[in-house]
Each structure stands twice: as C-alpha cells, then as structure tokens.
C-alpha cells in the first residue's frame, strides 16, 4: 500500500476513535464538564495529563532544539519535567482539596478579592490563547505535509474534531480522548527512536543507545558526534557554551511556569482524592518521561544521521560531499515544504553543510572552495523526517503523522477547556451573573468552548507575527504571576488580599516589560529599547528566563505588603487550614 | 481540641520537612549536577561524555520520578498516622 493511502487510513482511524469517545463520554453536569465528575483514576489522569502537557512543541520541536544545540538545551528536558515535582508537592494535592473548578477561583477565594481573580483570569487567557496558536498551526503543518491537504483545510478538520469532543464532553470527553491520544503519540515517538537506536548502536532502548558505542566503528556515539560536527566547524555537542546563570534561570522559569500553567493544574481536579492527586502527578511524569528521556537520543542520533547523509567522505575532499542529484527521497519531500532548502553557493553541484559562522573554520572552508553553508534545515522537521531518514517502513511514517496530530490536538483541547471554564465559571458565573442555574452554566460553558475554538482557529489561520515568541510570554506569565500566588496561598497564611494583588501585578509587569524591552512592545518589530542579544541583557539573563526573576519579585512584594497591612480574616485562615488536610476532599466531588 | 491542634501542627511540620528535603535533592540533581556542578563531575566518564551531561539529559528526570513517588508514599502514610486521610 502506498504511503499516502496508509497515512489517510491511520490518521482516519485515530480520528474515528476520538469521535467515538466523544459520543460515549458526553457531559451531563457542570461537574462533569469542568472536572469529569472527579471520578478519573490517578493512572488514567496521569496519562491524560501527559498528553495535555506534551504539545506540538514537545513532539515536533524538542528533539530538534536539542539536536542543533546539544547540551545547552538540556534546559528544556529538566525544565519541562522538574515542574511536576513542584506540582506534586506544592500545588496539586491542595488545589484538589480546595475542590473548586478553576485556578482563578482559588486565587479569588483565598485572597477574598475579585481583583485577584480577575488578574488571574487575564493571565490565564493570555497564556493559554498564545499557547493554543502553536497547536493550531502545528495541526495545519502536519496535514499539509502528510495528507497533501491545504494547511487551512487541515486546520478546519482538526478544529472540527476538537469541537466534537470538547463541546459535547467537556473535561470528561477531553480526558478520555487524551488517553487515546497519549497512546498514539508515544507509539509514534518511540517506535522510530527504537529502530534508529538499533541501527546506530544496537541498543533497543534509545536512553541507553545515547551513551553506547556506534556499531559502525565502535566509538561512543557522543564522541563520534562531537568529532563529525567539530570537523565541520560546529561547536561540540556535549560542551557547555552558554551563560551558566541564564541556563539556571531559564530552567527554573520553565519549571515554575509548567507548575503554574492552568490547563495542567485543572487536570488534577478530576481525581477522587487528595492522595490520588499526589500519585497522579507521579504517573503523569512517568508517561512524560517516556518521551522526554527518548528525545535527547532522537536529537543526537538524527544529527549524526543528517551529517552522515550529507558528508559522505572526508571533509574537504571533492567527493566528500553528497551530490545534489543523488539526494535521497526524504530530502526531496521536505524541499517541497520549504522547510529544507539547498542553495549551491559555490556551483559544484554538491551539498556543503557546515558552520559558516565559525571564524576559525573560515580559512579551511576557503581552502576547500566552499562559499558558505548551502543547506538550511528547519529544526522542526527532524522528528517528522526521522523515520524517512532512517528508511523505516511506511506504516511508521503514517504513525508519526498521526502522533504529531494527537500531540497538537490533545494540548489544544486542554488549553481550550482552561479558557472556556475561566469565561463561563469565573467571568459569567463568578462576576456577571452569580445566580445562573446549573443548566444555564453548562450551556454557557459549551458556548464559551465553541467561541474559544473559533478564536483559536482564526488565530491559527492568521497567526500574529509574534506567534513564535509567545511561548516566552505564556511561561513568563504563569511563572511570575500564577505560580507564586498559588504557592503562597497554600503555604503562607499571612498573605492577604493586598499583598497577593501587589505581588501578582509587580511580578507580571516586571516580566512583561523585560520581555517587551528586548523583543518589542507587543512584539512589534522595531519598538524594542535594546537589541535582543546576550551582550545587551542584564547579567546575560534572556527575556525567556526572566519569569523566574519575576516570580521572586512577586514573592518578595507579596510578603512585605502583607506584613505591613492587616492579617487575613479568620475564615480565610480556616480555609487555608482546611486545604492543608486531605480529609473531606471526597465530599467536594459535586461542586 | 488542643490535641487536635497540636497534631495538626505536627502533621504540617512533617509535611514541610519532607517537601524541603525533596526540593533540596530536586535542585541538586538538576541545577547542581546538571549545570553548575558539572565541571566537578567531569572526571566521571559515561558513554562518550561525563556524568553531568547524563544528569542533564537523563538522570535528573529519573530522580524527579523517584522523588514524586517517594513523596506520595510518605505523605499518604503521614495522612494515616495523623488521622487526616480519606476513607
């Protein structure tokens, strides 16, 4: 069967499965719509959380981020997993005990302040909406590359699928489709990785293969990778080349940003008990680690395969480089997408792939008659092209297409639920019409979901120019405003309404100003006050890493303002006491 | 009532101490071994690179996993010991 038909079959089968689940798992109450009736098993919730969390960025981009940079980008691996330790110990069990439906609701109740709740809603909507744009464009790219469907048509199909299970089933429908999507995406990620690891090192576990000797010449994979890319003027793969302070702060920002992202937190509202929330965080990390420990192996192996494909002989010898006419099929396939481009700068008909930014390598390149790097590889294609580069069977390639779509759709649905529940529960019920009936709120939740999907689809079709920058914004907002507010709400009884609002606003404003200072106000090019380069950053701290500094500021301001003003009222102190104790969480299953 | 209150305080103290030590280990394996202390570990070779690289790309994640499951197990035991668990 040809690849095209096979891909249609595999993707079609997974979509049919998601629709089937949507029909089976309809939500009848707001409790089911917001929190799946709080009846989800901790292992099931762990799996759903893994799919909720692992986005198109994790599935498609992360291995590429590591492959083209090496050790310095280990920050993503530690940052996006370490957050679960914080979630398990500092937030999830207590927020589950609190027993409400949204993150802003906790902030509003704990700090007895509609202002605090409103600030949280704004942060939540901005962070989630910017995040969802990436998922929607990811769906479009996957469709256009693998299914030969125009990106906008693909986006509509993806949105329609999410519409079916998210509007009908709310959290309940999303939970069980996320479980199915996790299974699809983890198979799609690990199967090619296992094959490639076996081909290169003979080790079936890529986690072991990464530190094994290559079958070809018996030297360790990472030593060989350092050599072959070093011969082409690239910095060593395992070396530490970046600012250490920035690396620490970036990792910390990703960790506390992860723990503060509302669409992840609300998943822990779906388990029956506080003890389940703790186990569930562990299971979530088990399922996430299955991908995150494989990703660095995929990155290193793909980089080696890529260089070996292009640099077929000795560096500098005329026959050392692959002739353009001999390029493999996967190369041609990806050229049509524009994500892989070749420009024959020295007119020799062969492909030179090397680091033309390296001063020390420039003289060598001139001796060889090379006139600049001729191959431009978009790092996002690495995972998607991997099975083709390793010449794996067609069904594996079809599975990878389905996996990329599963990763994007599952995260999009989780984000959309966080947005729609903030609108229907925090804004409509919480602020606008507190007397709304159960039926009315459920309808409002469904309408909010439908509108959120519409907005996300529109933004996916017309991505604002700054779409790629917005991940910094999402993590910055979550790290600097939401995480500290939640943590202090649980662990520091003395924090009052004034302290919390002052802390959130100062963390938020500081972080946003720092990001816009270097990246332009509202990301409009040319409006930045300083160039976005390491030399210009304060202490070498990048705008991507500033969320953790904003969080520290939030803690400090909240602490000092609270201590300078009155104590929180007695009933708030009792509320804090009660969320610190697990007993009684089961009673809060309905509302 | 006083007994309840004292037991409540002891439960919270035990929790905080458990969280504190878990987070110390959390920080040591990631920010420590994975980044800042990597040069100190560079003598320990593993598969073509050094131990710090392994911690940054593999080891820290495994330790995070152990930490969460250990915490869940200890806390659930503490809940029972102090009589605040759910049936």
């Amino acid at each position: 069967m040809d690849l095209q038909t096979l891909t249609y079959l595999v993707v079609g089968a997974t979509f049919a499965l998601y629709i089937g689940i949507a029909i089976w798992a309809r939500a009848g109450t707001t409790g089911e719509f917001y929190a799946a009736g709080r009846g989800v098993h901790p292992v099931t919730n762990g799996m759903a959380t893994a799919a909720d969390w692992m986005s198109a960025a994790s599935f498609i981009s992360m291995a590429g981020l590591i492959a083209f940079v090496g050790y310095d980008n280990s920050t993503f691996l530690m940052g996006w997993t370490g957050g679960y330790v914080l979630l398990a110990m500092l937030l999830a069990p207590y927020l589950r005990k609190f027993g409400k439906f949204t993150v802003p609701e906790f902030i509003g109740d704990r700090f007895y302040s509609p202002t605090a709740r409103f600030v949280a809603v704004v942060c939540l909507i901005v962070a989630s909406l910017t995040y969802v744009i990436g998922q929607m464009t990811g769906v479009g790219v996957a469709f256009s590359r693998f299914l030969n469907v125009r990106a906008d048509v693909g986006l509509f199909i993806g949105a329609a699928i999410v519409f079916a299970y998210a509007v009908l089933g709310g959290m309940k429908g999303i939970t069980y489709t996320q479980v199915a999507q996790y299974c699809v995406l983890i198979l799609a990620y690990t199967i090619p990785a296992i094959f490639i690891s076996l081909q290169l090192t003979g080790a079936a576990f890529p986690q072991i293969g990464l530190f094994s000797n290559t079958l070809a010449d018996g030297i360790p994979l990472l030593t060989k990778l350092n050599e072959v890319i070093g011969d082409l003027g690239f910095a060593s793969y395992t070396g530490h080349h970046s600012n250490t302070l920035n690396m620490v702060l970036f990792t910390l920002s990703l960790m506390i940003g992860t723990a503060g992202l509302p669409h992840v937190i609300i998943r822990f509202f779906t388990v029956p008990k506080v003890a389940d929330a703790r186990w569930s965080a562990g299971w979530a990390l088990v399922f996430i680690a299955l991908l995150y420990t494989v990703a660095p192996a995929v990155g290193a192996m793909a980089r080696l395969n890529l260089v070996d494909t292009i640099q077929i002989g000795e560096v500098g010898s005329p026959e050392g480089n692959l002739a353009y006419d001999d390029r493999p099929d996967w190369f041609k396939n990806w050229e049509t997408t524009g994500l892989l481009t070749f420009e024959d700068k020295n007119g020799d008909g062969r492909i030179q792939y090397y680091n033309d930014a390296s001063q020390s390598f420039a003289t060598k390149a001139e001796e060889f008659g090379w006139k600049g790097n001729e191959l431009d590889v978009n790092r996002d294609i690495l995972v998607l092209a991997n099975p083709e580069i390793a010449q794996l069977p067609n069904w594996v390639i079809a599975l990878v297409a389905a996996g990329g779509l599963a990763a994007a759709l599952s995260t999009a649905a989780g984000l959309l639920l966080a947005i729609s529940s903030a609108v229907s529960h925090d804004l409509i019920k919480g602020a606008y019409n507190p007397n709304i009936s159960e039926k009315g709120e459920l309808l409002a939740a469904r309408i909010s979901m439908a509108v959120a999907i519409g907005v996300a689809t529109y933004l996916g079709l017309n991505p604002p120019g700054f779409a790629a920058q917005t991940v910094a914004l999402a993590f910055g907002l979550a790290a600097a405003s939401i995480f500290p507010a939640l943590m202090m709400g649980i662990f520091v009884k003395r924090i009052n309404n004034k302290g919390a609002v002052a802390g959130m606003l100062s963390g938020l404003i500081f972080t946003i100003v720092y990001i816009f200072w270097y990246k332009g106000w509202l990301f409009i090019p040319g409006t930045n006050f300083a160039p976005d380069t390491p030399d210009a950053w304060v202490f070498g701290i990048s705008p991507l890493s500033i969320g953790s500094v904003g969080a520290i500021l939030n803690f400090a301001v909240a602490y000092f303002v609270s201590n300078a003003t009155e104590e929180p009222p007695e009933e708030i102190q009792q509320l804090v006491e009660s969320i610190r104790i697990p007993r009684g969480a089961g009673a809060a299953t309905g509302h | 009532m006083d007994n309840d209150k004292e037991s409540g305080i002891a439960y919270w103290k035990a929790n905080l101490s458990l969280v504190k030590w878990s987070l110390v280990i959390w920080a040591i394996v990631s920010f420590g071994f994975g980044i800042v202390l990597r040069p100190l570990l560079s003598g320990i070779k593993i598969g073509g690179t050094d131990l710090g690289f392994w911690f940054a790309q593999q080891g820290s994640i495994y330790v995070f996993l152990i930490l969460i499951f250990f915490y869940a197990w200890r806390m659930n035991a503490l809940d029972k010991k102090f009589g605040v668990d759910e049936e």
Side-chain angles (χ1 to χ4, degrees):
Chain A
M1 203 184 302
D2 75 318
L3 177 59
Q4 198 68 58
T5 323
L6 203 57
T7 311
Y8 275 113
L9 276 179
V10 172
V11 172
T14 59
F15 279 13
L17 177 66
Y18 306 153
I19 297 283
I21 294 171
I23 293 165
W24 168 70
R26 279 178 312 236
T29 61
T30 51
E32 287 186 342
F33 195 90
Y34 293 137
R38 304 207 199 271
V40 180
H41 190 275
V43 180
T44 310
N45 184 54
M47 209 178 263
T49 307
D52 191 61
W53 168 241
M54 292 193 288
S55 59
S58 289
F59 188 92
I60 299 173
S61 309
M62 197 173 57
L65 281 169
I66 297 165
F68 290 105
V69 175
Y71 165 78
D72 286 346
N73 271 354
S74 308
T75 47
F76 291 101
L77 296 167
M78 292 184 284
W80 283 340
T81 54
Y84 281 84
V85 178
L86 302 177
L87 207 50
M89 295 178 192
L90 303 179
L91 303 182
Y94 310 103
L95 295 176
R96 169 62 192 88
K97 172 62 196 297
F98 179 62
K100 298 286 178 73
F101 290 134
T102 70
V103 170
E105 192 175 18
F106 172 77
I107 292 179
D109 284 8
R110 164 62 182 84
F111 299 117
Y112 47 103
S113 159
T115 316
R117 187 174 186 175
F118 186 71
V119 173
V121 168
V122 172
C123 288
L124 180 152
I125 290 179
V126 173
S128 303
L129 211 54
T130 52
Y131 214 105
V132 88
I133 299 171
Q135 312 311 316
M136 300 310 266
T137 46
V139 170
V141 170
F143 264 102
S144 60
R145 165 61 187 87
F146 290 104
L147 297 162
N148 266 338
V149 176
R150 284 208 339 256
D152 51 351
V153 178
L155 216 160
F156 282 124
I157 298 172
I161 302 283
V162 174
F163 189 94
Y165 64 78
V167 173
L168 275 181
M171 185 57 117
K172 193 177 169 196
I174 289 171
T175 300
Y176 296 103
T177 34
Q178 280 176 336
V179 169
Q181 284 159 338
Y182 176 79
C183 297
V184 173
L185 81 87
I186 200 67
L187 285 173
Y189 203 86
T190 49
I191 289 174
I194 289 168
F195 274 117
I196 291 166
S197 179
L198 281 170
Q199 286 174 354
L200 274 175
T201 68
F205 289 97
Q207 294 94 333
I208 295 169
L210 179 60
F211 299 93
S212 301
N213 297 343
T214 57
L215 289 177
D217 37 25
I219 45 176
L221 178 88
L222 287 167
T223 309
K224 184 171 177 186
L225 182 56
N226 276 340
E227 278 170 17
V228 299
I229 63 174
D231 286 348
L232 295 166
F234 293 103
S236 84
Y237 191 82
T238 57
H240 183 165
H241 310 290
S242 66
N243 177 320
T244 302
L245 172 68
N246 186 48
M247 206 171 156
V248 168
L249 288 178
F250 183 51
T251 307
L252 185 62
S253 296
L254 294 180
M255 285 174 172
I256 57 183
T258 301
L261 281 175
H263 74 285
V264 179
I265 296 174
I266 57 173
R267 282 240 45 99
F268 292 91
F269 296 174
T270 67
V271 295
K273 295 195 294 183
V274 172
D276 295 331
R278 297 180 187 133
W279 289 126
S280 199
W283 284 109
L285 190 56
V286 167
F287 296 120
I288 291 166
L290 276 177
L291 191 146
Y292 273 56
T293 55
V294 168
V298 170
M301 290 171 187
R303 181 87 184 271
L304 188 61
N305 272 339
L306 177 72
V307 174
D308 278 349
T309 306
I310 308 296
Q311 194 68 46
I312 50 176
E314 201 187 326
V315 176
S317 72
E319 284 79 41
N321 295 74
L322 182 74
Y324 182 65
D325 295 336
D326 297 341
R327 68 195 189 285
D329 283 339
W330 63 264
F331 197 113
K332 294 174 191 160
N333 289 339
W334 284 97
E335 271 184 306
T336 59
T337 63
L339 297 172
L340 181 75
T341 52
F342 167 70
E343 183 193 348
D344 197 1
K345 290 176 182 163
N346 66 349
D348 67 349
R350 291 176 180 273
I351 306 167
Q352 277 96 41
Y353 171 61
Y354 71 104
N355 183 12
D356 54 7
S358 162
Q359 303 285 345
S360 49
F361 192 73
T363 40
K364 261 194 193 171
E366 219 178 301
E367 274 172 38
F368 300 152
W370 294 357
K371 299 247 164 63
N373 175 44
E374 299 179 342
L375 183 69
D376 192 19
V377 190
N378 182 307
R379 62 179 185 218
D380 283 355
I381 71 171
L382 213 61
V383 167
L384 299 177
N386 222 0
E388 296 166 273
I389 297 175
Q391 298 169 325
L392 299 181
N394 279 350
W395 64 267
V396 179
I397 302 171
L399 190 60
V400 170
L405 286 167
L409 292 177
S410 58
T411 304
L415 290 162
L416 289 163
L417 185 79
I419 296 170
S420 62
S421 58
V423 171
S424 60
H425 195 66
D426 291 312
L427 294 182
I428 295 178
K429 187 182 164 73
Y432 176 68
N433 180 9
N435 298 324
I436 192 169
S437 68
E438 156 76 19
K439 266 211 165 105
E441 192 186 348
L442 184 60
L443 181 65
R446 289 194 210 276
I447 294 171
S448 314
M449 175 64 88
V451 172
I453 293 173
V455 173
T457 310
Y458 175 80
L459 290 172
L461 288 173
N462 307 288
F466 56 81
Q469 314 270 17
T470 51
V471 176
L473 194 64
F475 277 89
L477 291 177
S481 65
I482 300 175
F483 175 82
L486 293 175
M487 190 183 155
M488 287 185 292
I490 297 159
F491 284 85
V492 192
K493 225 187 279 176
R494 186 64 180 77
I495 302 293
N496 61 18
N497 51 351
K498 298 187 179 94
V501 172
M504 281 171 82
L505 287 177
S506 42
L508 193 64
I509 292 168
F510 169 79
T511 304
I512 289 183
V513 167
Y514 194 87
I515 293 175
F516 286 170
W517 194 276
Y518 294 102
K519 297 207 174 276
W521 299 89
L522 294 171
F523 299 109
I524 297 164
T527 60
N528 52 325
F529 286 176
D532 192 16
T533 57
D535 301 331
W537 300 335
V538 180
F539 298 121
I541 301 168
S542 120
L544 301 174
S545 316
I546 203 66
S548 46
V549 184
I552 294 166
L553 185 69
N554 184 340
F555 281 121
V557 169
Y559 184 81
F560 285 115
V561 172
S562 296
N563 276 303
T565 47
E566 74 283 354
E567 273 193 28
E570 185 57 30
E571 71 265 21
I572 297 298
Q573 306 207 21
Q574 276 168 9
L575 170 77
V576 178
E577 289 291 338
S578 87
I579 57 172
R580 289 178 177 181
I581 287 170
R583 178 160 288 175
T589 48
H591 288 279
Chain B
M1 184 63 200
D2 271 358
N3 263 347
D4 263 15
K5 203 169 182 189
E6 266 171 40
S7 138
I9 293 169
Y11 167 77
W12 189 243
K13 264 193 162 165
N15 176 23
L16 289 183
S17 141
L18 184 58
V19 169
K20 185 179 75 190
W21 287 110
S22 302
L23 290 185
V24 166
I25 298 173
W26 164 83
I28 289 176
V29 296
S30 51
F31 305 114
F33 296 165
I35 304 174
V36 181
L37 302 177
R38 187 181 172 202
L40 295 181
L41 301 174
S42 61
I44 307 168
K45 296 292 168 202
I46 167 169
T49 178
D50 54 281
L51 191 62
F53 183 91
W54 182 81
F55 264 104
Q57 301 215 330
Q58 298 280 312
S60 56
I61 301 175
Y62 301 131
V63 177
F64 295 157
L65 270 174
I66 295 167
L67 280 176
I68 298 180
F69 279 104
F70 177 76
Y71 174 79
W73 170 72
R74 279 294 300 154
M75 271 314 282
N76 294 346
L78 282 177
D79 290 353
K80 284 204 181 68
K81 187 178 154 197
F82 287 94
V84 292
D85 57 317
E86 297 169 81
E87 282 72 40

